[in-house]
Amino acid sequence: MRPSAFDYHKASTLDQALALLAEFGDDGRPLAGGQSLVPMMNLRLARPRHLVDINALPLDAIEIRGDALHIGALVRHERYFTDPLIAEHFPAFLEAVHWIGHPTIRRHGTMGGSVSHADPTAELPSVCVLHDALIVAASASGERRIPATEFFLNAYVTALEPGEMVTAVEFPLPSGPTSGAFMELGERVGDFAIAGIGVVLGHDGNTITSARIVCSGARLVPVRSADVEAFLVGRTLADPGAQEAGRIFSAAIDPVGDHAASAAYRKGLIKELTRRCIAHAAGKASA
Amino acid sequence: MTMTETTLTVNGQTRTLDVEPRRLLADVIRQEFDIAGVHIGCAHGACGCCTVHIDGTPRLSCLTFAVQCDGRDIKTVESLGGFDATHVLQLAFKSEHGLQCGYCTPGFLMTLVPYVEENVARGTLPSDEDIREAMSGNICRCTGYHGIVAAVRKAIGDQIGGGQ
């Protein structure tokens, strides 16, 4: 037997799922696509005593609610490829999806699962931090919204409390024209990223009016850089200073070294990926 | 620990079993249905060897608990062309040297058969880059992948009449 023993509960309503998770506390975990949790269980890195299968719950909407794009926790990754709202408002997000796992994983893995798993190299946590998304967490005692920048606490550790589960993620809609890009490097397509960079540039004509940038895989949580963002604002799409921005971001990060790449290699990679990513985003906007 | 009554249909054979929730679909197919075409390589979603179809959609049976599949229709590589391996993609794997040791082959076939069918239905011959993306969740240690890409190209090309 690969995983340790657990009891299986199939929830048919959100209230039922939350009641079960409240009852089990630290011993319970929701099961959606299983693309992150089940590997952890097979390796016995996770040993929940109760799994609450939430696949039957109606949490799979992608729709605009107020001034944000609401993405339900059960939305499977492959849907982003063809969703017109993602393509229209979140080009960096759309590019990031190409880097998530491989087709079979993208067909089953979910938004809620990826953010709850909080792998330091994963794309969606990075995309959430990049876009200042809010993570919607529900429990039997109610619902709260946690800014993505406060949700990811450490590798595989989030702000979720026992009995809570992610029900949706809300991405604030951009207020004006934006461009964005996402790039990463791994040993093979679909592998864990050595590092990844995402960028969103708001612009008014040729002038960059707002900028956000994130790096995944270098630290234990996705990292933003206020210095790079401030550097980019006021520059032009034709000359965004991509190379200098790469230097600033690389200097600001103290990356981890591991079996895949040394810290020094990652530092160089962040510099170059940042340059390419900004140049690509700026190029798309001015095309 | 609770046993859970689960009804599975594998390659047309329906059985109701009392299964422990922790048992993986891959193990149940191999041990209870005695169907050995489901290969387990890594058991954590990295190699693709255990890919089966659940209600027609490829899924990793090592990342699926059998209890999740109650009432579902499951197909393994044996459902394609039987022991004679007569499915068009199996024949192309043979002629284009798409396999050597064969351990990964059931996973590649189950991942790629719907991809071949979709492209044939659309009448499109995908680029090699697109084929490689489609099979990026499967690992092969023997072929270097070139033969597999050629087999997919041939299986699609022959059916849409363009050849390669």
Side-chain angles (χ1 to χ4, degrees):
Chain A
M1 298 292 178
R2 278 163 249 266
S4 38
F6 61 87
D7 285 339
Y8 174 77
H9 312 265
K10 199 165 168 56
S12 47
T13 66
L14 179 58
D15 284 347
Q16 189 194 358
L18 296 177
L20 287 166
L21 291 170
E23 181 189 338
F24 303 140
D26 259 340
D27 292 332
R29 293 288 296 273
L31 174 66
Q35 306 298 295
S36 299
L37 178 59
V38 183
M40 298 288 273
M41 291 175 66
N42 285 353
L43 297 165
R44 298 214 179 191
L45 295 169
R47 285 181 285 184
R49 289 204 221 135
H50 298 272
L51 283 191
V52 179
D53 187 335
I54 60 167
N55 282 288
L57 307 187
L59 296 175
D60 62 348
I62 303 181
E63 60 195 15
I64 290 176
R65 294 189 189 172
D67 55 4
L69 184 70
H70 167 104
I71 298 181
L74 285 175
V75 171
R76 319 278 161 174
H77 310 319
E78 70 174 7
R79 272 178 63 195
Y80 306 130
F81 284 130
T82 50
D83 189 275
L85 293 169
I86 302 282
E88 182 184 348
H89 299 292
F90 301 103
F93 185 153
L94 181 60
E95 287 195 2
V97 181
H98 290 269
W99 297 99
I100 302 175
H102 48 72
T104 305
I105 284 180
R106 291 198 292 259
R107 191 167 302 119
H108 300 285
T110 64
M111 172 61 84
S114 180
V115 300
S116 303
H117 183 56
D119 187 295
T121 71
E123 292 77 15
L124 290 179
S126 187
V127 163
C128 291
V129 170
L130 174 65
H131 291 99
D132 289 313
L134 295 172
I135 316 293
V136 184
S139 70
S141 50
E143 191 179 86
R144 62 184 179 128
R145 281 169 170 71
I146 308 162
T149 46
E150 298 166 22
F151 182 80
F152 302 103
L153 302 180
N154 206 329
Y156 312 108
V157 181
T158 69
L160 286 177
E161 299 285 344
E164 261 187 329
M165 68 172 232
V166 174
T167 55
V169 178
E170 295 172 345
F171 289 83
L173 292 172
S175 53
T178 58
S179 183
F182 193 98
M183 292 180 182
E184 69 176 49
L185 186 78
E187 278 190 273
R188 289 164 298 244
V189 174
D191 267 0
F192 295 104
I194 295 170
I197 299 286
V199 66
V200 174
L201 302 175
H203 56 95
D204 182 1
N206 189 35
T207 307
I208 296 171
T209 51
S210 69
R212 287 195 294 253
I213 193 159
V214 73
C215 175
S216 61
R219 302 286 301 162
L220 300 179
V221 296
V223 184
R224 291 271 294 268
S225 168
D227 286 346
V228 176
E229 294 172 4
F231 169 80
L232 289 168
V233 171
R235 299 187 65 93
T236 63
L237 293 172
D239 179 21
Q243 189 144 1
E244 179 60 18
R247 247 194 304 275
I248 299 170
F249 205 2
S250 174
I253 295 183
D254 181 21
V256 297
D258 60 19
H259 67 280
S262 66
Y265 181 89
R266 275 203 173 81
K267 232 171 164 43
L269 183 61
I270 292 163
K271 185 170 144 189
E272 179 58 18
L273 279 179
T274 299
R275 184 190 69 76
R276 290 187 200 175
C277 204
I278 292 171
H280 178 48
K284 282 203 293 187
S286 53
Chain B
M1 156 209 338
T2 328
M3 301 288 265
T4 304
E5 191 178 278
T6 305
T7 301
L8 303 175
T9 300
V10 183
N11 298 342
Q13 178 194 350
T14 302
R15 289 178 59 189
T16 300
L17 307 161
D18 265 337
V19 292
E20 244 191 284
R22 65 165 153 174
R23 292 190 70 193
L24 301 174
L25 178 63
D27 291 325
V28 169
I29 293 172
R30 289 179 61 86
Q31 291 157 13
E32 307 300 331
F33 286 82
D34 214 12
I35 291 172
V38 177
H39 291 176
I40 301 170
C42 70
H44 60 269
C47 77
C49 286
C50 68
T51 307
V52 299
H53 295 174
I54 300 181
D55 293 337
T57 302
R59 184 168 171 115
L60 300 171
S61 61
C62 79
L63 298 188
T64 309
F65 298 111
V67 292
Q68 292 178 269
C69 302
D70 188 35
R72 303 294 200 91
D73 184 48
I74 297 150
K75 292 271 197 315
T76 71
V77 71
E78 284 87 349
S79 71
L80 296 182
F83 286 103
D84 296 329
T86 53
H87 187 279
V88 58
L89 187 58
Q90 290 173 316
L91 295 173
F93 263 62
K94 188 178 172 187
S95 71
E96 303 305 303
H97 305 288
L99 74 158
Q100 185 177 316
C101 86
Y103 196 84
C104 69
T105 312
F108 270 93
L109 290 168
M110 297 308 278
T111 300
L112 291 169
V113 159
Y115 176 77
V116 168
E117 286 169 353
E118 283 160 25
N119 276 281
V120 169
R122 276 200 304 265
T124 51
L125 185 62
S127 65
D128 284 5
E129 190 187 10
D130 197 71
I131 294 170
R132 285 176 185 274
E133 167 75 17
M135 63 191 226
S136 60
N138 295 75
I139 291 176
C140 172
R141 298 274 89 134
C142 300
T143 61
Y145 303 100
H146 295 290
I148 300 175
V149 173
V152 173
R153 213 189 302 124
K154 179 175 169 56
I156 296 170
D158 284 357
Q159 291 184 84
I160 63 177
Q164 353 176 11

